[in-house]
Amino acid sequence: MEEAKLDSKSKSIPNENLRFGERALSAGGAAFISAVIVNPLDVVKTRLQAQAAGVPYEGSCRLGCFDSNSTLVHDLRSSSSPGMCRITGSASVCSDHQYKGTLDVFYKIIRQEGFSRLWRGTNASLALAVPTVGIYMPCYDYFRNRMEGFTTEKSPTLTPYVPLVAGIIARSLACISCYPVELAKTRMQAFKGTQRDVKLPGVWKTLVDVINPVKGSSNGQNYRMLWTGLGAQLARDVPFSAICWSILEHTRRSIFSFMGEEPRAGSIIGANFTAGFVAGGVAAAVTCPLDVAKTRRQIEKNRDRAMTMTTRQTLAEIWRDGGMRGMFSGAGARVGRAGPSVAIVVSFYEVVKYGLHNFHQQ
């Protein structure tokens, strides 16, 4: 009986004869498509979270202080230094033009900045998503297959936990490898341009500004700023991957079992898309407070705060400033982005693997 179950699992997810490079190519293509499609929701989510952190958008909340030499904000929470303001969390200081929700952000970005600004940071998203997913998905496959083979033989009771552990390891490797680009993407999406026709800084210029915020002030220590918020990123991505893969593997195997037929391209796409959509949405909702903390860490401009602030302190600050609403800022956009994103990536990746598998068989 156990052998039959294992046989059905291996048939549902063909892996034989596929090299790491082929898996990475499949994952990279999936990431490219997903990044382009869901980028507008990523921009909306980041804007809502940045507004909750006190980023002063023009015609929005009158919180924080502008730096005349920068589009960013210095210290959004400190009142001890000249020229810096503290978040009040009070609605009385906000105008009627602040972002009120996901659809309102869409409307105001299109009206005030132009339709193309919904794809702000897409180049960073692609530069991030293709290598990240190219590392993430093949590594997940590798660790899952290895650990499933070991636990099935040595300790079958641990096999259900394999997707959780494999997802954590693979996501951690991918996250650490490509983190500076993630930092650039968040900053590019969080801050709006003041004029429609002015070209905004790209990935490279954004990273240079992170390292060298004041011209001529660069030193070796400033390069540590490229890893600002890495702890918050891992604190979000590790549980996200654990939850996502635990739900996804169980769901898609249940769907394949229900279909009761040899998997074909259509059934592979359908099962993986459905499982990915559900798993991505649930994982995104559960980890939303950690995503808010990650965004707040990444948009922090004050070097001393950025280097000393911890994820735990950031979460406590978010709770103090905005309560439960603050903890789930941009939750709708995040869930709306994560569900389709995971569904697209996983279904595309698996169907390309299926095609390559058949090619090798022939």
Side-chain angles (χ1 to χ4, degrees):
M1 189 68 178
E2 287 294 326
E3 289 179 2
K5 285 183 179 179
L6 286 172
D7 186 54
S8 68
K9 286 180 182 179
S10 64
K11 285 181 180 179
S12 67
I13 308 170
N15 286 298
E16 311 93 283
N17 303 321
L18 296 185
R19 294 184 291 272
F20 187 90
E22 291 175 320
R23 296 172 194 267
L25 182 64
S26 304
F32 182 91
I33 295 171
S34 173
V36 173
I37 292 174
V38 304
N39 196 77
L41 281 166
D42 205 22
V43 173
V44 170
K45 177 212 68 164
T46 303
R47 289 287 181 92
L48 287 169
Q49 293 178 350
Q51 177 178 269
V55 173
Y57 295 112
E58 184 182 356
S60 181
C61 284
R62 294 188 294 276
L63 299 176
C65 295
F66 283 111
D67 178 349
S68 59
N69 297 319
S70 175
T71 58
L72 306 186
V73 184
H74 272 299
D75 188 336
L76 300 172
R77 289 159 287 279
S78 172
S79 59
S80 59
S81 302
M84 297 183 184
C85 300
R86 174 182 170 79
I87 286 180
T88 64
S90 169
S92 63
V93 298
C94 297
S95 70
D96 291 334
H97 300 290
Q98 74 176 107
Y99 295 140
K100 298 181 178 70
T102 301
L103 294 178
D104 191 51
V105 181
F106 272 117
Y107 172 72
K108 287 191 169 87
I109 288 176
I110 293 170
R111 189 187 67 181
Q112 297 171 4
E113 303 173 57
F115 186 75
S116 63
R117 289 292 166 86
L118 288 172
W119 276 267
R120 170 76 173 144
T122 301
N123 55 344
S125 294
L126 293 174
L128 174 71
V130 173
T132 299
V133 178
I135 295 169
Y136 180 34
M137 298 293 288
C139 284
Y140 171 77
D141 264 356
Y142 176 81
F143 290 123
R144 184 200 61 202
N145 293 338
R146 289 281 182 169
M147 286 189 285
E148 275 190 348
F150 177 81
T151 57
T152 301
E153 183 180 340
K154 303 291 185 181
S155 182
T157 56
L158 295 178
T159 302
Y161 303 101
V162 165
L164 184 150
V165 177
I168 287 174
I169 297 172
R171 188 63 192 176
S172 297
L173 290 173
C175 177
I176 293 170
S177 302
C178 305
Y179 182 75
V181 183
E182 169 70 29
L183 176 65
K185 184 196 78 168
T186 301
R187 290 202 172 204
M188 290 169 70
Q189 292 176 342
F191 301 102
K192 61 183 283 188
T194 55
Q195 298 177 10
R196 279 178 178 246
D197 300 326
V198 175
K199 187 177 180 180
L200 297 174
V203 178
W204 179 254
K205 180 64 166 60
T206 301
L207 290 175
V208 169
D209 287 342
V210 170
I211 298 171
N212 188 18
V214 179
K215 214 166 187 180
S217 67
S218 180
N219 59 64
Q221 290 294 316
N222 285 0
Y223 285 92
R224 292 177 59 196
M225 290 289 290
L226 291 175
W227 305 95
T228 300
L230 175 60
Q233 176 89 3
L234 288 170
R236 181 200 70 171
D237 283 3
V238 167
F240 178 91
S241 291
I243 295 167
C244 182
W245 284 111
S246 297
I247 296 173
L248 193 150
E249 289 286 5
H250 175 75
T251 304
R252 73 177 170 187
R253 284 172 177 171
S254 297
I255 294 172
F256 281 130
S257 177
F258 177 77
M259 289 178 174
E261 60 181 31
E262 186 72 21
R264 300 183 183 277
S267 61
I268 288 174
I269 292 174
N272 282 284
F273 191 92
T274 303
F277 195 95
V278 173
V282 172
V286 173
T287 59
C288 189
L290 295 165
D291 186 58
V292 176
K294 181 215 67 139
T295 299
R296 188 170 288 203
R297 292 284 306 280
Q298 290 177 334
I299 64 175
E300 177 60 64
K301 183 98 184 291
N302 183 276
R303 185 177 179 278
D304 292 334
R305 277 183 56 83
M307 299 304 295
T308 59
M309 198 73 172
T310 66
T311 302
R312 182 177 178 180
Q313 289 172 325
T314 305
L315 286 169
E317 191 174 78
I318 294 167
W319 178 263
R320 184 188 67 234
D321 291 335
M324 188 62 71
R325 186 173 182 177
M327 298 289 273
F328 286 88
S329 298
R334 173 166 164 75
V335 172
R337 172 197 177 281
S341 179
V342 174
I344 292 168
V345 167
V346 174
S347 57
F348 184 92
Y349 176 66
E350 291 295 336
V351 80
V352 171
K353 274 173 48 183
Y354 174 78
L356 290 171
H357 169 73
N358 285 343
F359 174 78
H360 286 300
Q361 291 278 54
Q362 293 171 4

